[in-house]
Amino acid sequence: MLNHLKKLLQNKTSKTAEHEVLDFNTALAALLVEVMRADGKLLESEFDKIREIMIDRCQLTVEQVTPLIDKAQKQVEQAIDMYAFVKQINQQTSDIERIDIIELLWHVAFADGELDSYEDHIIRKISGLLYVAHADFISAKIAAQESAPSR
């Protein structure tokens, strides 16, 4: 029994250590990937939008972005929730920056020219976890929608 408890505590420690090495860019990419995956379709237009965001906003090179998105996808698939990603974003951003991040999430959702209810739901959930007010959530959605491609 004692050995089992020790083993559980060791696993808990190693998982905590994994979360500590999560950097801002990976956390942001993970949230963007969450939105992309929400509707069950992984479209090239959404991948392209994530690449564009990571290059423009995080000042990464094309060579850095592809492995980062791959890493984020793996972490999203293994995660039970979004806590580690959201925690990293909350620790390193201001209120205004978090509103900008919500707008970026909307850009991914609108990248294919249509908004799925699952995408709306996941962004609403992330918005709450990032402590973004509903009015700012709506403003970010409208701003992204106005610049989205139409189909």
Side-chain angles (χ1 to χ4, degrees):
M1 179 72 171
L2 186 58
N3 287 335
H4 180 69
L5 185 58
K6 270 182 161 177
K7 189 175 180 180
L8 283 175
L9 289 173
Q10 286 174 340
N11 286 341
K12 183 79 171 161
T13 307
S14 66
K15 286 183 181 177
T16 304
E18 286 175 20
H19 289 308
E20 289 172 12
V21 298
L22 182 67
D23 63 289
F24 178 84
N25 290 340
T26 306
L28 176 59
L31 293 180
L32 296 167
V33 166
E34 284 278 4
V35 173
M36 177 181 67
R37 293 170 31 113
D39 63 0
K41 298 179 262 178
L42 303 178
L43 302 174
E44 195 60 37
S45 59
E46 294 169 328
F47 275 110
D48 291 344
K49 183 52 77 173
I50 293 173
R51 281 186 205 101
E52 177 187 317
I53 289 168
M54 298 307 293
I55 290 168
D56 292 346
R57 297 299 181 105
C58 298
Q59 300 172 347
L60 299 174
T61 65
V62 175
E63 294 79 23
Q64 292 172 311
V65 170
T66 302
L68 178 67
I69 293 172
D70 291 343
K71 177 182 174 183
Q73 280 186 283
K74 287 177 186 153
Q75 289 189 354
V76 165
E77 289 169 7
Q78 294 172 352
I80 4 178
D81 60 25
M82 294 179 284
Y83 176 75
F85 312 128
V86 169
K87 179 182 176 188
Q88 190 64 243
I89 300 294
N90 278 332
Q91 287 177 342
Q92 296 190 38
T93 57
S94 67
D95 294 343
I96 302 293
E97 291 167 328
R98 287 192 292 276
I99 294 166
D100 287 341
I101 288 170
I102 295 301
E103 185 175 334
L104 296 176
L105 298 176
W106 282 120
H107 282 291
V108 172
F110 287 121
D112 61 357
E114 55 189 60
L115 177 64
D116 185 87
S117 62
Y118 292 111
E119 293 169 330
D120 184 85
H121 174 76
I122 197 76
I123 297 172
R124 188 175 301 274
K125 185 176 180 178
I126 293 169
S127 180
L129 294 170
L130 293 178
Y131 309 109
V132 172
H134 186 69
D136 295 325
F137 165 83
I138 296 297
S139 295
K141 180 179 182 178
I142 291 169
Q145 191 172 22
E146 288 174 351
S147 67
S150 58
R151 286 206 172 183

